[in-house]
Amino acid sequence: MTKVKIIGQSITRFGELWDRSLESLFEQAIWESLISIDGPVYQKQIELRKYGVTTQIPRFDVRQVEAVFVANMSAQAFTGQSHLGALVSQMLPHNPPAIRVEGACASGGLALVAAQQALLSGQYKTVLVVGAEKMTDVSATQTTKILSGASEYQSEYGSTFPALYSLLAQAHMDAFGTTRNQLSMVSSKNHAHAVENPKAQFRKKISADVVGRSALIADPIRLLDCSPVSDGASAVVLSTKNIKRYQGKPVIAGFGHAQDTLNLADRKSLTELEATKKAGQIAYRAAGIKPKDIKFAEVHDCFTIAEILASEDLGFFTKGSGGTAAEQGQTTYGGKIVINPSGGLKACGHPVGATGVKQLAYVASKLQEVQKKRVYALTHNVGGSGATAVVHIVRNGIYEK
Amino acid sequence: MKNSNPAEYFRNSKQWNQALGETGVVLQATTISVSSPELQPFVPYDYLLIKLDSQDQKIISAMGADGFIFSKGDRVRMVLKKIASSASDDIIPYGLKAEKISERIDA
């Protein structure tokens, strides 16, 4: 059976990177992912790339990259740049075919799905997936307007993303007694995790009390319940080649992709995200494992309620108990499962097009540190208020040939 | 529904008729404190999920009209209101909003 291995990965620093352009973020992520495969040719040799990024020269022959899948939501609106496939392709010396994939905040996850389908069909053997978003060159209100394009623009006019997730939060609170403090605990926990992540936008602990007293955005969601506006990029190199030097590289054990209605008003339930449940079930079935087998997960915590919903819909906790689990420390080190060890979208940052790719790159890098036993990790990337969901299950490469 | 040009306004006006004047009940409500530039003059405003009494109890979403505070269970009626700020020479952007007609009545 053909296996897709993650042979290289990179994540740029996430944050308000005023001195960095969209192009330079793409360029940095691409070249660092290529260097991560086999290391640089010379440790000290520096090469200046087209958009000002200085890199070493990868030992890996970059001409092996047969295609590029580019994830981005709104470069046209944020920076004026479209035609991203061509933009990224020219960053490689052989101009490989490149396709831009857009699925709002799930753009990264969908680009990974498209890349794997191309690999598993046999069309290609090695591809690059890169996601980026440059969001901080426009005002916060402009950003709100641009991101609202991920909802159903006409039917949900007047909404904002915090408002849509607030409606979900209120439904969860009404149905299961989820509390303000439980939402705050999610944010506080992810900020604590991000302290250990040098790429994270916010490496600062905040208490649940501070979260609960932050400015109201859309009741009950407050400022510190929300993931930030971020710049950043991430890339992974995927390959189906069965060669010796890729032994031990992390393997994508399964993936699932599902949709729900774009308009929240048309959903069957407001206390679960059906697309997440379906995508998770498909991925678990493909990997041949159960939720209890997952040791850590990067889930789509665009808002704190989103992590609680994901922790239930992915089967880590029973429906209605996600808030209690977060409050009791079951989603951090020493608990049942570690959720968002990177800091998640909340504290690591959420450059929209990069997020889904970053989740996979992050778990791949962590899985490479585990050498003595087989470990499974999960990534979960959502678009809109749950209309698109992509789940990946990855295992470390131990016992793999 | 936002109308950014006359043709879109014409198309959307046909949709208004389906819900205009209809009554319903608020399923969920949130008060928005931060919104996009065209909606800043209305901030804070409520955003609602509403189950209509007719049309097979269809669920729709809409902004709440100015001057009301909405809660789950409130009875509302759909009305035509200005839904965004605009320059003086633009089309006045009208669309559906909900007006409260009675408070929630707990059984």
Side-chain angles (χ1 to χ4, degrees):
Chain A
M1 185 178 169
T2 305
K3 296 175 193 164
V4 177
K5 292 186 175 181
I6 306 166
I7 62 170
Q9 70 281 323
S10 72
I11 304 168
T12 69
R13 174 87 198 276
F14 282 8
E16 185 178 354
L17 310 176
W18 61 270
D19 57 334
R20 298 297 306 277
S21 66
L22 176 72
E23 294 84 352
S24 76
L25 290 167
F26 270 127
E27 191 170 63
Q28 180 185 348
I30 289 169
W31 285 90
E32 287 183 355
S33 70
L34 296 168
I35 290 167
S36 75
I37 298 170
D38 291 323
V41 175
Y42 304 110
Q43 287 296 333
K44 291 183 180 176
Q45 190 159 352
I46 299 296
E47 188 178 31
L48 186 66
R49 306 304 310 177
K50 181 173 180 179
Y51 295 101
V53 172
T54 53
T55 69
Q56 296 159 306
I57 297 172
R59 191 182 299 275
F60 176 78
D61 177 7
V62 301
R63 285 175 174 75
Q64 290 185 47
V65 173
E66 297 168 278
V68 185
F69 294 81
V70 183
N72 176 269
M73 177 185 168
S74 291
Q76 170 70 44
F78 281 121
T79 72
Q81 178 67 59
S82 55
H83 206 177
L84 297 185
L87 179 84
V88 168
S89 176
Q90 67 177 354
M91 294 176 185
L92 292 165
H94 58 304
N95 291 99
I99 297 172
R100 181 253 186 98
V101 179
E102 191 277 317
C105 303
S107 298
L110 291 179
L112 290 165
V113 167
Q116 286 164 99
Q117 288 167 341
L119 289 168
L120 293 171
S121 74
Q123 184 182 9
Y124 303 121
K125 292 193 180 304
T126 301
V127 302
L128 174 75
V129 185
V130 61
E133 207 82 48
K134 174 70 189 176
M135 304 173 73
T136 66
D137 279 356
V138 302
S139 69
T141 50
Q142 280 295 337
T143 300
T144 302
K145 182 176 173 62
I146 292 167
L147 294 179
S148 71
S151 60
E152 188 170 350
Y153 183 64
Q154 291 292 357
S155 300
E156 297 185 303
Y157 179 75
S159 69
T160 61
F161 268 97
L164 295 176
Y165 276 92
S166 285
L167 296 174
L168 296 172
Q170 290 186 357
H172 206 271
M173 289 167 147
D174 290 345
F176 306 116
T178 301
T179 65
R180 171 63 258 173
N181 189 60
Q182 290 170 354
L183 297 177
S184 299
M185 288 295 287
V186 172
S187 180
S188 180
K189 178 262 297 177
N190 287 345
H191 272 267
H193 287 177
V195 170
E196 304 300 324
N197 180 359
K199 304 293 178 65
Q201 184 163 354
F202 298 118
R203 302 182 67 193
K204 179 183 176 183
K205 287 186 179 180
I206 56 170
S207 69
D209 185 49
V210 168
V211 178
R213 286 188 285 108
S214 60
L216 202 54
I217 303 298
D219 184 35
I221 286 181
R222 293 177 176 273
L223 181 65
L224 293 176
D225 288 306
C226 307
S227 55
V229 172
S230 314
D231 305 326
S234 182
V236 292
V237 184
L238 306 178
S239 182
T240 53
K241 286 184 179 176
N242 189 18
I243 57 179
K244 192 172 180 181
R245 73 178 196 281
Y246 297 162
Q247 285 180 5
K249 296 277 189 181
V251 176
I252 297 176
F255 65 96
H257 164 211
Q259 305 285 159
D260 200 347
T261 64
L262 186 53
N263 188 348
L264 206 60
D266 294 333
R267 300 271 172 87
K268 291 176 188 163
S269 170
L270 294 179
T271 57
E272 65 181 22
L273 296 185
E274 184 70 20
T276 291
K277 283 183 70 175
K278 286 181 182 171
Q281 288 163 1
I282 295 166
Y284 287 128
R285 196 161 53 241
I289 65 164
K290 305 281 186 193
K292 65 179 174 54
D293 299 317
I294 302 293
K295 289 288 181 247
F296 64 97
E298 286 287 312
V299 309
H300 199 94
D301 61 324
C302 49
F303 301 96
T304 49
I305 184 62
E307 179 172 312
I308 290 173
L309 288 168
S311 71
E312 299 168 357
D313 296 336
L314 293 167
F316 303 142
F317 301 100
T318 57
K319 181 49 69 182
S321 67
T324 304
E327 194 168 40
Q328 293 177 342
Q330 292 299 311
T331 57
T332 188
Y333 297 96
K336 183 179 176 186
I337 180 174
V338 182
I339 295 183
N340 286 324
S342 75
L345 283 62
K346 173 67 202 81
C348 184
H350 184 27
V352 174
T355 290
V357 185
K358 165 255 171 180
Q359 292 174 323
L360 197 73
Y362 184 83
V363 302
S365 66
K366 288 296 168 192
L367 285 170
Q368 288 186 46
E369 297 171 5
V370 184
Q371 296 296 333
K372 292 187 178 174
K373 59 182 178 180
R374 175 162 285 180
V375 171
Y376 287 92
L378 178 146
T379 67
H380 163 247
N381 189 204
V382 169
S385 56
T388 301
V390 179
V391 172
H392 281 85
I393 294 172
V394 188
R395 65 171 180 254
N396 57 347
I398 189 169
Y399 311 131
E400 297 290 344
K401 292 184 179 177
Chain B
M1 295 177 189
K2 175 69 186 338
N3 314 287
S4 54
N5 63 56
E8 194 174 20
Y9 195 99
F10 171 75
R11 291 194 299 270
N12 287 341
S13 67
K14 296 177 181 176
Q15 303 294 318
W16 299 340
N17 290 333
Q18 295 178 11
L20 191 59
E22 295 286 345
T23 56
V25 61
V26 174
L27 295 180
Q28 296 289 346
T30 183
T31 303
I32 294 178
S33 304
V34 178
S35 193
S36 54
E38 67 202 12
L39 290 163
Q40 282 305 315
F42 301 98
V43 168
Y45 62 88
D46 286 345
Y47 186 75
L48 315 168
L49 284 183
I50 300 159
K51 183 163 74 176
L52 298 177
D53 295 333
S54 61
Q55 299 184 31
D56 294 329
Q57 298 200 314
K58 182 182 178 183
I59 297 172
I60 64 169
S61 51
M63 297 166 68
D66 289 351
F68 300 96
I69 298 171
F70 295 88
S71 301
K72 185 176 178 177
D74 287 346
R75 300 273 310 151
V76 296
R77 176 180 289 114
M78 303 311 297
V79 296
L80 202 57
K81 292 276 187 181
K82 191 174 178 182
I83 57 168
S85 62
S86 58
S88 59
D89 56 347
D90 280 349
I91 294 176
I92 297 172
Y94 274 91
L96 288 174
K97 283 188 176 178
E99 241 178 31
K100 184 149 74 174
I101 52 179
S102 68
E103 299 281 340
R104 172 182 188 152
I105 301 169
D106 290 317

